[in-house]
Amino acid sequence: MDKTRQERLDEQNRLLARQEEIAAILQTYPNVAGTAVGVKEVGGKITDEIVIRVYVQDKKPLESLRPDEIIPAEIDGIKIDVNQMPAELSGCVDDHEYRPMIGGSRIISAKSNGSGTVGCFAIDNVDSSVVLLTNYHVLMDNGEQPGHAVAQPDFCCDACCCRCGEVATLVRGADFANPNEFLDCAIAKLSNGQENNYVNEVLEIGPLYGITPTLVAGDHVFKRGKATHHTEGIVNAVRIAALTPVRFESGIKNFRNHMIITPANPAKPFSHKGDSGSVIVDTQNRVVALLFGDDSKEDPYRAATVTLANHITDVVAKLNITIPEVGTPNAMPLRSEGNAIPIAEAPMARLQKLIESEANGPLLIGLFHRHNKEIMSLIHTNRDVKVAWNRFKGPAFTAHLVEKSRNPEYVLPQGIEGYTAMQLLLKMSTVLEKHGSTTLARDIETHSTDVMQLFQKLSEEQLAATN
C-alpha cells in the first residue's frame, strides 16, 4: 500500500463525518441495504483507497439496470464502492486443556450446544475480580444465566455434583433479546480454584498491551481462535451502518455498527466455526475487536471470506470492564500466582520488562511472540537458516542471554569466536526474510532496523555500566 496509515486515518475520519449524509442519498436507490467506511476492492483485491462502501441486497450487472437504478461511482467528490450484502452469516458457535488458563483456548458453558474461544482476561470494574471475555452466543445463547458454570475445554462428566473442568461462572452479557442491542459479548468470573490460575496472554500472540480506540480501514490485524488458530486479516470496513443478519443456535439476530475483516491471505480464512469470542489485535498486540461471526456457515470445507467483529471500545463500555496494559500499575500480572510462574520470579520476564520499557519495546515483544514458533521451526528444518544460526553462534549467544536474564550483573560478551551479536542479527534477518512466510518477511523488512537500534542501545548501556 502506498498511502501511510495517517493518510488513511485522516481520510477515514473525513468520510465518517459525512457517512450519514451520503447514506441518505444512497438510500434513495433501490436494493441498498446500508453503508460503511472502508477500503475499495478491485477484482477481489484490497487497495489502500478509503471510500464509502454501499451494500446492496443483490448486486446485478450494470447492463441489467435502468439508468435511475445505477449507483454513482462518486457523490460530491467522495468515491463509492458497491458491494454484495451477504444474505445471512453464521455465528462461529462451535481441544486441549490449558492450565494455567490462557486466551485463545476452547471454552463452553454448561447448557451450550457448541463451544467457542476465550478471548482474553480482564478486570471487572464492579468488584475488581478477574474475568474472561468471550461472546454472549458462546456462553449465554441457550438460556444460561449469571451463576451458571463455564468449562475449559469441556465438562469432564455428566454427574450433577461433579465440577471437573469448571473454570468460571457467568457474570453478565449483552442483552440479546433487545433488537437495539448490537453487541455480542459476555464475561465470566474465574472460580473453582482457577481464580489465580491464568496467564495474561493469548496463545501464539503473547501479552496484550491494553486496547486501542483508533482502527483504520486497511490495517493488518491478528487473532488466535480455537478453530483456525493464529491468522492474519485486513480491516475491510468500520462502523457498518447496514443491519446484518447472523444466525445463532437461538435464531437470527441483526447487528450493526460492527467491523468487517477479510483474510490477508485469500487461501487461509481469518476465522471459522469455533473462533467466536477471539480477541483481535493490531501489530502492537493491542486489542481492537471481539470476533463474533463469519460466512463459513456450517460447512467445514468452506473458507470464510467475511468475518464480523464488535469494536472493543464498545464491548468494554457495555460490560464495564478494563483490559489493562501489561506492565502498567493497575495491570494484572503477566503470570498469575497459581500454578504459573509469577512475573517477578521468571528470569526471562525481567528481560522482557527491560525491552518493554523502550520506545518500540511492546511492538518488538509482540512480533517475537507472533513469529517465534515459525522461526524455531525454520532453525530446525531449513538448511540455510540452520547453517546461519549455528555458524554465527546463535546457540552460544542465546545461552549468554539466558544467563543475563537470570543475573542482571552478568556481562554479555561483545563477540564469540570472531562473530558479534549484531552480525548474527543481520544474517538471521536475511535468511529468515528469504525463507519465512510472507508475514514474517514483511515484518522483518519493516522492523529489522528497530531491532538493531534497540540491541545497539542495550549494548551501549551495558558497556557504560561496566566502565
Side-chain angles (χ1 to χ4, degrees), residues 365-392:
I365 290 293
L367 291 173
F368 169 79
H369 284 284
R370 183 169 302 131
H371 298 301
N372 180 49
K373 186 176 180 180
E374 179 184 355
I375 291 172
M376 293 309 297
S377 175
L378 288 170
I379 287 174
H380 286 99
T381 62
N382 183 281
R383 185 180 182 278
D384 288 350
V385 177
K386 182 187 295 186
V387 168
W389 176 247
N390 287 285
R391 179 173 296 166
F392 285 79

Side-chain angles (χ1 to χ4, degrees), residues 59-250:
K59 189 173 181 180
K60 302 175 181 177
L62 281 177
E63 56 269 21
S64 68
L65 299 174
R66 300 193 309 269
D68 63 323
E69 294 178 327
I70 298 176
I71 296 174
E74 190 174 298
I75 296 178
D76 196 18
I78 295 176
K79 293 186 178 180
I80 309 298
D81 189 30
V82 181
N83 296 268
Q84 172 70 47
M85 183 75 176
E88 180 184 299
L89 291 92
S90 63
C92 304
V93 284
D94 170 280
D95 268 307
H96 290 97
E97 176 180 294
Y98 288 94
R99 300 293 185 275
M101 293 181 61
I102 189 169
S105 57
R106 183 182 193 267
I107 195 170
I108 191 170
S109 71
K111 299 176 65 176
S112 176
N113 293 321
S115 62
T117 298
V118 178
C120 66
F121 297 97
I123 300 296
D124 186 347
N125 295 330
V126 174
D127 61 5
S128 299
S129 62
V130 177
V131 295
L132 61 86
L133 172 65
T134 188
N135 291 140
Y136 176 99
H137 84 257
V138 170
L139 296 184
M140 304 182 72
D141 198 31
N142 203 29
E144 298 90 339
Q145 298 295 323
H148 279 176
V150 174
Q152 196 291 311
D154 206 340
F155 294 95
C156 301
C157 66
D158 296 327
C160 62
C161 58
C162 180
R163 301 182 67 192
C164 52
E166 180 182 328
V167 296
T169 53
L170 283 167
V171 177
R172 58 183 175 272
D175 183 8
F176 247 38
N178 183 351
N180 294 317
E181 174 65 86
F182 302 123
L183 296 175
D184 184 359
C185 53
I187 55 174
K189 182 177 180 178
L190 301 189
S191 61
N192 196 30
Q194 304 303 316
E195 292 85 348
N196 292 313
N197 196 21
Y198 63 89
V199 181
N200 188 20
E201 300 180 10
V202 176
L203 288 164
E204 299 183 80
I205 287 179
L208 299 178
Y209 295 91
I211 67 173
T212 177
T214 306
L215 190 66
V216 185
D219 278 356
H220 283 249
V221 292
F222 308 85
K223 77 100 188 62
R224 203 285 181 181
K226 169 243 172 182
T228 55
H229 302 275
H230 183 268
T231 56
E232 179 179 0
I234 298 174
V235 179
N236 184 281
V238 298
R239 299 296 177 189
I240 310 300
L243 284 177
T244 306
V246 180
R247 179 176 293 278
F248 299 109
E249 295 289 341
S250 59

